[in-house]
Amino acid sequence: MTWIVLALWWVVLPAAPGVAWLHWFAHLATAGIVGLLVARRVWGEARVRPSPPVVATLLAVLSLAVAVRVAPHRFPLEARWWAGLTGVAHAVLFLAAWAWAPARRADEARAEDGEPDDVAVFRRAFTVVLAGLLVAQALVVWRDAGAVERVEGGFGNPNTFGAVVAACGLALAAFGCWRRTALVALVPCAALVLATRSRGAAAAAAVTVLVLAARRDWRRVVALGALLVVALVVVPNPLWERVTAMRTEHFYSRPFLWQAALEGAAEEPLGIGPGMNLHEFPKRALDRSVPWLVHQRFAVGLTHNVFTTLTLEWGWLAGAAAVGLALWALARLWPRGPVDPLAQGATLGALVLFLELQIDGLEQNAVAFSLFLVFAAVALRRVAGAGRGPALSGRLVGATLAATCVLLLVQDGLRARRVSVMRDAQAVWDRYQLGRAGEDAVEAAVARAEEVAPREENVAVARFSFEALAHRRAVRRGAPPAELAEREARAWAAADVALARQPADRDTARLVADFAHRLLPREGAAPDDAAFVRYVHAVRTVLERDPLDVVSRRELAGELARAGDLARAEEEFDALLAVEPHDAAAWALRARWRLAAGDLEGALHASVRARECVFDCRILTAVGAPRSHAFYEDVLDKVDLAALRRRIAELRRELYL
């Protein structure tokens, strides 16, 4: 039954189109069901002694619980809670796989009949499931041929797909005792890995093969390494084409991402909370060696290393537990022992995915990461030996595992109900924006979502978005002042709730700032005007959450100058240009307000810099990072180069002639 559940999770679900939003719920359900099935087996054991992998996992979960509850209040609690449940599901699945996998018996190496029956059955079932996964993914690749630039199968990411394929191919070869029929599977797997153009997956697979050879004969390592390099360079393949065409200045380097994560971890020993690097990294995203990538900061939500992720998000204790477990696993798995196809295959599969975890965000894909956890649990179980911890009652351990799984399944069901209601509300909202639904329908849908999910951040944001749009439509139809005042008050009340529920999200603060900006008088507002003060506060909130937001700072500087507060406007321009010195639109705006204030020298200097930055922006539009490219294109659209040249000529005539 356990294999059937895993087959549905690994084979069927990734291959099914249009169900990616179900993966989170299926992940928790899989972990809970597998845990319940294994709990029955643990219940029947008289005594259970925890081994180092179990202790390390429990320490990591403890650190996770602390990070969820004690993490800084600048991060949303509800989002931490649901991301934390994902971590608990990972831990439950690993522990369940550990208890389920057949342990090596003391007399197993001397068995005359070869592999014990239970081990052979386990290995064959594992082989069938992995083969089914590869066949299903091959069909997905065939179905999507030509629709995607890089092959990504049903995993939505070419790097993850390449690593999973490589791991399954090597595991199947080892499960098949390296017979010719088993080695045949490596050929299509290698072709799929190359088709993904994933440097990380190819490197992880190559290093794993070299490690396998090193444990046999160092001369094989040299020969195999040379063969891999020659084959990669000589034989035409999409991976080599991508490597040679790659321009590193178009993307954040892995060392920079790791450094940013370690800086954050040093400030928060207890962790910032699972999944919260999405909000933390943008504040540290200014890399002076490639400053144009600052506009790409929200495209990065991962540290791209499993150890830095655990240390930053789960806390130092979780990071230390992961490092300790990795060192313990190395000490156990490296020495050569009797031939064990199950242990060798699981080790190879786990190693490929483990290496990929050091340079990419494999953990964001629950299917791929669960495969790694099962590989690792089986491999370590086969070499762990008897546990040395205190003997615990099998019934106590089994009951604890079962209770945890039941709670996990209950939370899964509650979350599914909430998401279903929120999806219904989103559908009504979409129709309302298109004019196909009335305000009463939206009000009812949002109220229903607030009733079912009262603490959800997205529900609070939906309420504010509805109130803000309703106010905007009331203004357009010329509603009476009393109605406008009431709707504005409701919108601001909803904004306060949304900002409180989403204390770190920049987009929510930007929505509120846009609403405040629309309320400013068209003819301009005085610096002490209530609407203007509220607008400045709203934009300040955006900048507190995202200090590197050049666009919001440029808008604020322009409005301050328009209101006559030139001193604060100059401060904002200075802060903006310290982050993005090539913003021609900011220089042009600064020149305009300096000219209006009678500062001809300052206006000339800003105009000349704006003209120079126009050419800089034209060069920077060649940056491959999509959001950086879009930023510089937008700047060029905002600046009239011919008008700049005329202004410069006029200022020079007035100043010097």
Side-chain angles (χ1 to χ4, degrees):
M1 183 64 183
T2 304
W3 284 117
I4 294 176
V5 175
L6 290 177
L8 292 173
W9 171 236
W10 288 337
V11 180
V12 177
L13 194 64
V19 295
W21 66 278
L22 287 174
H23 283 193
W24 190 88
F25 307 102
H27 174 219
L28 262 65
T30 299
I33 295 172
V34 169
L36 286 175
L37 293 173
V38 173
R40 295 178 56 190
R41 176 176 176 176
V42 177
W43 177 276
E45 297 184 12
R47 292 289 175 182
V48 176
R49 291 183 180 273
S51 295
V54 177
V55 174
T57 303
L58 294 178
L59 288 176
V61 172
L62 174 62
S63 185
L64 170 64
V66 172
V68 169
R69 299 303 305 177
V70 187
H73 293 292
R74 67 178 184 271
F75 299 113
L77 176 62
E78 199 75 0
R80 293 203 306 264
W81 168 255
W82 295 118
L85 276 183
T86 303
V88 172
H90 287 321
V92 167
L93 186 59
F94 177 80
L95 294 175
W98 168 271
W100 173 45
R104 181 187 292 275
R105 296 190 294 271
D107 61 342
E108 187 172 321
R110 300 190 299 272
E112 297 180 358
D113 297 334
E115 196 175 37
D117 291 342
D118 60 334
V119 178
V121 170
F122 192 95
R123 176 173 59 84
R124 289 166 186 161
F126 210 162
T127 300
V128 171
V129 172
L130 294 183
L133 188 157
L134 289 177
V135 171
Q137 290 305 308
L139 293 175
V140 172
V141 171
W142 176 76
R143 181 193 67 197
D144 298 339
V148 291
E149 181 181 357
R150 295 173 60 191
V151 174
E152 56 187 29
F155 289 85
N157 183 290
N159 300 323
T160 300
F161 177 65
V164 168
V165 169
C168 292
L170 288 172
L172 287 175
F175 287 166
C177 302
W178 303 99
R179 299 187 185 93
R180 292 182 179 179
T181 53
L183 292 174
V184 169
L186 291 178
V187 177
C189 288
L192 284 175
V193 172
L194 293 178
T196 64
R197 306 186 191 180
S198 172
R199 298 169 297 166
V207 170
T208 301
V209 172
L210 293 178
V211 169
L212 177 64
R215 297 183 74 249
R216 295 291 186 264
D217 185 351
W218 67 269
R219 289 169 294 185
R220 295 183 183 181
V221 177
V222 176
L224 190 56
L227 180 62
L228 287 174
V229 172
V230 171
L232 188 62
V233 174
V234 174
V235 179
N237 62 86
L239 174 61
W240 184 250
E241 294 174 1
R242 181 168 181 260
V243 169
T244 54
M246 180 67 68
R247 297 180 62 181
T248 55
E249 68 271 17
H250 290 187
F251 307 95
Y252 283 110
S253 66
R254 293 296 191 267
F256 178 78
L257 298 178
W258 301 335
Q259 178 184 352
L262 292 175
E263 289 174 356
E267 297 173 5
E268 300 290 347
L270 297 180
I272 64 174
M276 293 301 103
N277 189 52
L278 178 68
H279 302 297
E280 181 70 13
F281 174 75
K283 300 177 182 179
R284 308 174 186 272
L286 182 57
D287 185 353
R288 291 297 181 183
S289 63
V290 282
W292 49 85
L293 292 182
V294 70
H295 311 293
Q296 197 70 14
R297 61 195 180 281
F298 282 102
V300 179
L302 306 170
T303 70
H304 291 277
N305 180 277
V306 66
F307 294 116
T308 56
T309 296
L310 288 173
T311 305
L312 172 65
E313 297 185 348
W314 291 31
W316 288 11
L317 179 59
V323 171
L325 179 57
L327 294 175
W328 181 88
L330 178 63
R332 285 285 184 170
L333 293 170
W334 182 258
R336 293 184 60 180
V339 177
D340 183 350
L342 177 59
Q344 187 184 63
T347 301
L348 293 176
L351 181 57
V352 172
L353 297 176
F354 176 78
L355 293 173
E356 180 69 14
L357 279 165
Q358 307 315 307
I359 56 175
D360 211 341
L362 186 75
E363 69 274 11
Q364 68 179 325
N365 189 295
V367 178
F369 193 67
S370 66
L371 184 63
F372 162 73
L373 293 175
V374 174
F375 272 140
V378 172
L380 295 177
R381 181 65 165 166
R382 294 294 292 164
V383 300
R388 298 182 180 180
L392 303 176
S393 167
R395 291 193 172 186
L396 175 62
V397 175
T400 303
L401 178 59
T404 303
C405 293
V406 169
L407 291 176
L408 202 63
L409 292 172
V410 169
Q411 290 295 325
D412 191 25
L414 292 175
R415 178 65 172 170
R417 178 169 176 262
R418 292 183 181 184
V419 170
S420 176
V421 173
M422 288 190 291
R423 285 172 63 87
D424 292 341
Q426 182 63 47
V428 176
W429 169 251
D430 291 340
R431 293 198 300 272
Y432 175 67
Q433 289 182 300
L434 297 174
R436 299 175 182 174
E439 290 186 6
D440 292 341
V442 180
E443 174 66 38
V446 174
R448 171 63 175 161
E450 290 173 329
E451 177 186 353
V452 174
R455 295 182 299 174
E456 283 284 348
E457 295 92 355
N458 293 337
V459 173
V461 175
R463 165 60 70 180
F464 167 70
S465 298
F466 165 63
E467 298 293 352
L469 184 57
H471 173 270
R472 188 175 184 180
R473 290 187 173 181
V475 171
R476 288 178 177 176
R477 71 170 185 268
E483 180 184 348
L484 293 179
E486 179 187 356
R487 287 191 177 277
E488 181 180 340
R490 291 174 59 181
W492 280 117
D496 293 338
V497 174
L499 291 173
R501 297 271 175 81
Q502 284 279 25
D505 184 55
R506 180 259 183 198
D507 292 338
T508 301
R510 186 63 254 182
L511 287 174
V512 176
D514 289 340
F515 175 69
H517 191 248
R518 287 196 297 270
L519 296 179
L520 293 179
R522 291 185 178 181
E523 63 277 6
D528 57 351
D529 185 83
F532 187 78
V533 171
R534 181 170 283 178
Y535 162 75
V536 172
H537 176 72
V539 181
R540 293 285 187 204
T541 302
V542 176
L543 295 175
E544 287 174 4
R545 300 180 178 197
D546 183 18
L548 302 178
D549 185 354
V550 173
V551 175
S552 293
R553 201 174 291 277
R554 185 206 300 151
E555 176 193 295
L556 176 60
E559 289 298 335
L560 287 170
R562 184 173 176 226
D565 194 344
L566 297 180
R568 284 202 294 171
E570 288 288 346
E571 292 177 2
E572 295 299 335
F573 277 124
D574 289 339
L576 183 161
L577 296 170
V579 175
E580 177 50 88
H582 305 293
D583 189 349
W587 281 111
L589 187 62
R590 191 177 210 178
R592 186 184 313 148
W593 289 113
R594 283 181 173 178
L595 181 60
D599 182 6
L600 302 186
E601 287 280 0
L604 177 59
H605 172 263
S607 298
V608 171
R609 284 294 294 129
R611 184 186 61 183
E612 294 170 350
C613 289
V614 166
F615 298 105
D616 293 338
C617 289
R618 288 179 178 176
I619 295 172
L620 290 170
T621 54
V623 172
R627 299 188 185 185
S628 296
H629 174 84
F631 171 81
Y632 294 112
E633 288 282 3
D634 181 65
V635 168
L636 291 175
D637 290 340
K638 293 179 182 300
V639 179
D640 186 343
L641 183 57
L644 266 180
R645 287 171 172 164
R646 288 194 299 270
R647 181 188 301 165
I648 292 171
E650 292 170 0
L651 287 170
R652 282 175 174 169
R653 279 196 301 270
E654 189 167 351
L655 284 169
Y656 307 126
L657 296 179

